[in-house]
Amino acid sequence: MKTLSEVNMCGIVGIISKEPQELVPNIITALNNLEYRGYDSAGLSFLDTSTVKTFKCLGAPSDNLEKGEIYAKTAITNKKITTAIGHTRWATHGKPSIKNAHPHLDCTGRIAIVHNGTILNFEELKSSLQKIGHTFKSDTDSEVIAHSIEEALKHEKKFEDAFLHAIKMLEGSFGIVAIDKKNPGTLYVAKNGSPINIGITDTMFIVASSVNVLLHYTKHYIPLSDKECAILSTNKGILHQEILQFKDKIQPTSKQPKLIKGASVEDMSKEGFESFMLKEIYEQPKTVQATLLGRYNKKTGNAVLGGLTDHEKCLKQLINIITISCGTANNAGKAGKGIIENLTDINVRNEIASEFRYQKHNFKQHNSLIVVISQSGETADTIGALKVAQKERYKTFGIVNVVGSAVSTETDTGEFTRAGTEIGVASTKAFVAQLTVLYLFALKLARMRDMEKDEGKHLISTLENIPKHMQKVLILDKEIKKIAHKFKNIKNISFLGRGIHVPIADEAALKFKELTYIECGSYPLGELKHGPIAIVDKDHLSVIIMPKDDQFALSKNSIEQIRSKGGKVLIITDKSAEKDPVIQKADATIIIPTIKQNICYPLLEIIPLQLFAYHFAQQLGMNVDKPRNLAKSVTVE
Ligand code: F6R
């Protein structure tokens, strides 16, 4: 995939099946699995004896489409049909409302479309369509697609030709699935910038913006590339696919199905946990194990990173690393800076992608490496920054979770984080997987420099034991819930730490904000006295991350300063510091296991902080899996 563009969130799905069957429940399940991409409204359309039937709801499909009026109408859910589409929305053009929810129809009600993306020239198209009599019902950019096809049908006989004609007029990004009441048993699909995957089974085609949806049916799929469209049809019991490119001219192209990798059906189920987020927090030992698997050699004390094998010369000459990422991935990048700078002589800068893409850059390209960190690999700002880096001829290395995503295919090389599908909108297991890759990456760079073999072995042995220690931290869950309850009336919170723990304080604050909607700060602990301490009083909680490392004594000093101002203190430290008098005086403590190498504490200390944010939000009655205003992949600028 060489054309990257700014895509939008939203999830889309379309199914055609050889035999009529109850497709509405399938569409709703698919939308439930897609709702991490957006959940402010949802809808579906299907063809029923040559009429388009459409149902919409406000809010998430799992809350409102599944439990709403549509499910009460068994006549709909039991209806045996061959053609259906669905959409779950994260509003950009037009606020969340029933009229703005997809699918959108043309004036005659013949055509229904679902769209993921942003049509940049929609105002122009809309106003010329309005001038020739088209009536729009929504404020969305997407509705122009249905009307443009309708208009094109005035001079094109075949729906397929009208669809292509309309698609060619669109500027911007799109994943589109359309149905036409005069062509039952056919899905018209197009892609430019927003993901579209076609799952193939013996009995149906299922099209979706995420491969996770396909996994319920098949592991075989065709990912469409930009400027490709697919006409998927069923006729007399035979499924037929036609894939066309619509670049300068329209021409057929052939694509071989691929196998879905790096995602599983288990990822899509809560497996007995009360939420996806909690399940994903508990999956972190397994995640670290999976991310480490086969990526180190105990005998040589070195990391084995396939993505780096052809780049040894460049890595030896490296002077600068620049990480580009957003949000949680940026916090992983900041921790990576601490790890790499600790173990090597390389300078690391952390750049927020939305800033990097618009800045002047003075690093020398020949001895600098850009490390792009992203769970989804779809984040618009990160992709934008990557494009800038490529234009400026930097070498790029991706640390990405989603296989086949734009970041994974566009970077020169990289490593997958192997966290599996992360459904909880607030990132947890993807973060520890990013950290794990960064430890291995730092080890590789350090062993190319002056790190001794034994030091390498020592680090490997600490990393190997992290999953076991993580299990011990997870046992503290109930205790952490009580601590969250104890501080439930606190007015404001700061998350603090020194050195390698600062990015973890930042990540803890981000999790807390996302889940509780309470404003909070994160600071290097030593910085507190330079300003933030002004907010400390009896209603303020300082959450301090301070395992017993070489900054421990300094951190104790800062605690005294906080206590002298009457502030409350929650300390996260390790077993070896448990008996320290300052720790004993804290209002609450969370004791994590002591590990051999201080540099690896971030992998452990983030877990109690995720759980603290989680339980705090739960007691406030927040939706932890789907915090307000957020979506899983932020694919708008
Ligand atoms: C926070 C969170 C976001 C993402 C950020 C980047 O819990 O998930 O801050 O980390 O939007 O997303 P990716 O990693 O997909 O590029």
Side-chain angles (χ1 to χ4, degrees):
M1 181 161 66
K2 276 286 163 196
T3 327
L4 295 173
S5 48
E6 279 163 17
V7 287
N8 196 346
M9 273 86 98
C10 305
I12 59 177
V13 60
I15 303 180
I16 52 158
S17 98
K18 276 202 308 206
E19 302 298 334
Q21 54 168 305
E22 292 166 10
L23 285 189
V24 168
N26 286 271
I27 292 284
I28 293 177
T29 305
L31 292 179
N32 292 350
N33 288 331
L34 282 169
E35 71 185 27
Y36 70 95
R37 298 179 67 89
Y39 38 84
D40 55 46
S41 56
L44 59 89
S45 292
F46 60 88
L47 293 184
D48 177 25
T49 52
S50 296
T51 52
V52 177
K53 296 253 165 76
T54 299
F55 295 86
K56 298 182 181 184
C57 70
L58 269 181
S62 60
D63 293 334
N64 300 305
L65 207 49
E66 181 155 351
K67 296 169 200 146
E69 67 171 302
I70 184 164
Y71 244 76
K73 293 185 183 164
T74 45
I76 294 163
T77 49
N78 291 351
K79 189 141 254 48
K80 294 212 167 39
I81 49 178
T82 60
T83 317
I85 55 175
H87 187 275
T88 179
R89 183 165 185 252
W90 190 85
T92 52
H93 291 75
K95 62 182 186 199
S97 64
I98 293 290
K99 75 169 182 178
N100 289 335
H102 296 221
H104 291 292
L105 276 65
D106 66 322
C107 297
T108 64
R110 170 179 171 179
I111 305 157
I113 66 101
V114 285
H115 166 228
N116 169 26
T118 306
I119 306 300
L120 296 174
N121 60 338
F122 91 98
E123 275 163 335
E124 239 170 276
L125 292 173
K126 184 170 176 173
S127 97
S128 45
L129 285 162
Q130 279 170 326
K131 276 187 200 135
I132 50 176
H134 289 261
T135 309
F136 282 73
K137 297 194 180 75
S138 77
D139 309 317
T140 64
D141 54 337
S142 311
E143 196 184 343
V144 292
I145 302 167
H147 292 278
S148 298
I149 304 172
E150 178 190 4
E151 190 54 34
L153 275 167
K154 290 183 184 158
H155 49 85
E156 300 284 2
K157 272 204 199 95
K158 282 167 72 184
F159 188 89
E160 175 181 326
D161 294 334
F163 179 74
L164 278 159
H165 182 96
I167 296 306
K168 284 199 81 173
M169 293 195 315
L170 305 177
E171 286 167 20
S173 60
F174 48 83
I176 298 169
V177 188
I179 54 175
D180 170 28
K181 76 172 184 188
K182 297 200 179 158
N183 284 287
T186 309
L187 290 181
Y188 302 85
V189 187
K191 170 185 174 358
N192 189 41
S194 306
I196 286 278
N197 303 290
I198 304 168
I200 305 163
T201 78
D202 291 341
T203 55
M204 61 161 71
F205 285 121
I206 170 152
V207 178
S209 39
S210 160
V211 290
N212 302 327
V213 170
L214 312 185
L215 277 170
H216 287 268
Y217 304 89
T218 179
K219 281 212 153 205
H220 297 276
Y221 80 119
I222 296 177
L224 280 193
S225 303
D226 284 343
K227 299 226 178 260
E228 280 183 356
C229 91
I231 317 296
L232 307 172
S233 54
T234 163
N235 193 4
K236 297 189 183 123
I238 296 172
L239 289 169
H240 183 74
Q241 74 190 51
E242 187 186 2
I243 300 184
L244 302 158
Q245 282 177 342
F246 54 97
K247 290 182 180 158
D248 300 330
K249 53 180 186 171
I250 294 165
Q251 56 184 20
T253 180
S254 73
K255 300 193 83 160
Q256 288 310 311
K258 292 184 172 183
L259 215 55
I260 298 173
K261 291 188 194 140
S264 69
V265 181
E266 290 73 46
D267 286 337
M268 308 306 296
S269 130
K270 288 187 195 151
E271 294 188 330
F273 283 91
E274 63 186 24
S275 66
F276 280 108
M277 185 177 172
L278 196 62
K279 174 188 164 225
E280 287 159 7
I281 291 174
Y282 272 80
E283 275 173 354
Q284 291 179 113
K286 196 178 82 187
T287 303
V288 172
Q289 233 162 17
T291 308
L292 287 175
L293 193 73
R295 282 176 164 163
Y296 57 83
N297 182 330
K298 276 201 238 176
K299 281 198 190 126
T300 60
N302 206 343
V304 181
L305 296 174
L308 297 181
T309 33
D310 296 335
H311 303 270
E312 301 252 329
K313 190 168 160 228
C314 143
L315 293 176
K316 276 187 189 138
Q317 288 166 355
L318 261 193
I319 295 178
N320 303 306
I321 287 178
I322 304 114
T323 67
I324 50 181
S325 43
C326 310
T328 288
N330 184 53
N331 290 333
K334 289 191 276 185
K337 172 182 164 73
I339 301 162
I340 295 168
E341 288 188 341
N342 235 291
L343 300 181
T344 72
D345 56 357
I346 299 169
N347 302 308
V348 184
R349 281 179 71 133
N350 300 121
E351 297 283 344
I352 290 185
S354 55
E355 288 294 310
F356 180 88
R357 58 191 299 198
Y358 300 115
Q359 279 165 357
K360 174 171 173 276
H361 309 117
N362 295 335
F363 329 100
K364 296 274 174 291
Q365 288 86 348
H366 69 272
N367 50 22
S368 299
L369 176 72
I370 298 275
V371 175
V372 185
I373 309 172
S374 176
Q375 187 285 123
S376 63
E378 270 187 40
T379 305
D381 282 321
T382 307
I383 295 170
L386 170 60
K387 275 200 235 177
V388 169
Q390 284 169 328
K391 213 165 148 203
E392 294 178 5
R393 295 171 183 276
Y394 288 101
K395 277 216 164 356
T396 56
F397 178 82
I399 298 180
V400 194
N401 198 35
V402 177
V403 180
S405 61
V407 173
S408 79
T409 52
E410 280 298 305
T411 38
D412 295 324
T413 183
E415 292 294 330
F416 287 109
T417 45
R418 302 182 185 157
T421 309
E422 194 179 58
I423 304 283
V425 167
S427 187
T428 52
K429 63 175 180 170
F431 177 70
V432 300
Q434 287 160 352
L435 290 186
T436 307
V437 172
L438 284 161
Y439 281 105
L440 291 166
F441 184 46
L443 171 62
K444 179 85 193 165
L445 294 171
R447 291 286 285 115
M448 283 177 162
R449 291 170 172 74
D450 53 7
M451 183 191 262
E452 297 293 336
K453 184 170 158 181
D454 280 350
E455 270 182 89
K457 285 183 175 178
H458 198 47
L459 179 58
I460 289 173
S461 132
T462 309
L463 287 171
E464 265 187 326
N465 283 311
I466 288 291
K468 185 180 78 194
H469 293 308
M470 282 179 153
Q471 296 289 9
K472 291 187 190 144
V473 179
L474 287 167
I475 291 170
L476 305 175
D477 189 9
K478 281 201 181 106
E479 202 182 302
I480 296 167
K481 188 173 178 177
K482 282 190 199 141
I483 294 174
H485 190 70
K486 174 175 176 161
F487 293 117
K488 74 170 189 293
N489 295 323
I490 232 66
K491 294 276 180 314
N492 42 48
I493 302 196
S494 303
F495 292 88
L496 306 140
R498 287 175 184 268
I500 190 86
H501 313 295
V502 178
I504 303 305
D506 293 342
E507 176 57 10
L510 180 61
K511 288 288 90 83
F512 195 82
K513 268 181 254 204
E514 284 179 300
L515 297 185
T516 65
Y517 317 154
I518 296 172
E519 173 55 2
C520 60
S522 57
Y523 313 97
L525 186 51
E527 186 63 10
L528 193 68
K529 58 186 176 297
H530 297 291
I533 200 157
I535 58 172
V536 171
D537 64 9
K538 65 174 182 22
D539 296 322
H540 181 269
L541 175 65
S542 298
V543 181
I544 304 172
I545 311 165
M546 47 179 295
K548 198 162 183 183
D549 58 14
D550 49 7
Q551 307 238 30
F552 186 71
L554 278 170
S555 299
K556 286 203 293 185
N557 196 30
S558 309
I559 292 175
E560 297 295 359
Q561 290 167 10
I562 296 166
R563 293 183 62 83
S564 72
K565 310 287 176 274
K568 305 270 186 311
V569 175
L570 161 60
I571 295 177
I572 287 130
T573 190
D574 73 285
K575 189 101 183 103
S576 71
E578 192 178 13
K579 299 269 158 17
D580 188 288
V582 176
I583 303 292
Q584 296 265 312
K585 273 193 276 172
D587 298 281
T589 50
I590 298 172
I591 308 291
I592 60 175
T594 301
I595 53 175
K596 286 195 217 152
Q597 286 221 316
N598 292 338
I599 205 173
C600 294
Y601 272 119
L603 283 167
L604 290 187
E605 63 205 20
I606 188 57
I607 296 183
L609 292 159
Q610 293 164 341
L611 286 168
F612 179 69
Y614 180 87
H615 291 303
F616 210 104
Q618 282 286 60
Q619 74 194 355
L620 299 177
M622 301 307 185
N623 184 339
V624 285
D625 275 342
K626 284 171 263 163
R628 72 177 181 201
N629 305 343
L630 301 178
K632 189 67 189 156
S633 325
V634 185
T635 46
V636 283
E637 197 181 346

